[in-house]
Amino acid sequence: MAKPDKVAAVAEIADRFRNSSAAVITEYTGLSVSQLSELRRALGSGAKYRVAKNTLVKRAAEDAGVEGLDHLFIGPTAITFIEDEPVEAAKVLKKFSKDNNALVIKGGYMDGRAISPEEVNRLADLESREVLLSQAAGAFKAKLSEAARMFAEPASQVARLAKALEDKRNEEDAA
């Protein structure tokens, strides 16, 4: 018979899987409690870093319909459940793992599929959502300005041609 605390832990982890936009699985062997606290602070309120037993996480992932992660649940495992934009949390994890070799990114889960550590690192290398949106807006504005110039050009050419004809007639009349 399952213990109530383990059942509650599985239910809580399964809910986190369901409600997260992404999850990153890490190994934390060698990190002190203060370093883990520092990582949790750096992740902020948009992500939760949870240390859990592999058997509980496997059951929770199965309950949540998350597949393809079983091979990651070996050794000391912690999961970062990302509720907001995954890019910012991935940046924090990547930077922290560079500063603290004890944190190893094993992989993750996003958009209904498992992702590799390389994909997590590529995600961390992306610009933030706001920066990408502003870059897209700038590109759209540039294209609109170019289109406006192209639409105005024929009218401008006609005006220059009319002015040149008028000047030519004035010269002929004066001669």
Side-chain angles (χ1 to χ4, degrees), residues 66-93:
V66 174
E67 297 175 352
L69 299 180
D70 285 348
H71 67 284
L72 301 177
F73 302 132
I74 297 169
T77 301
I79 305 172
T80 305
F81 294 102
I82 305 166
E83 297 163 1
D84 293 336
E85 288 297 316
V87 173
E88 293 303 317
K91 284 179 189 277
V92 170
L93 288 169

Side-chain angles (χ1 to χ4, degrees), residues 140-151:
F140 289 140
K141 182 180 176 193
K143 289 296 180 187
L144 288 174
S145 296
E146 185 179 327
R149 183 186 54 76
M150 287 176 55
F151 288 133

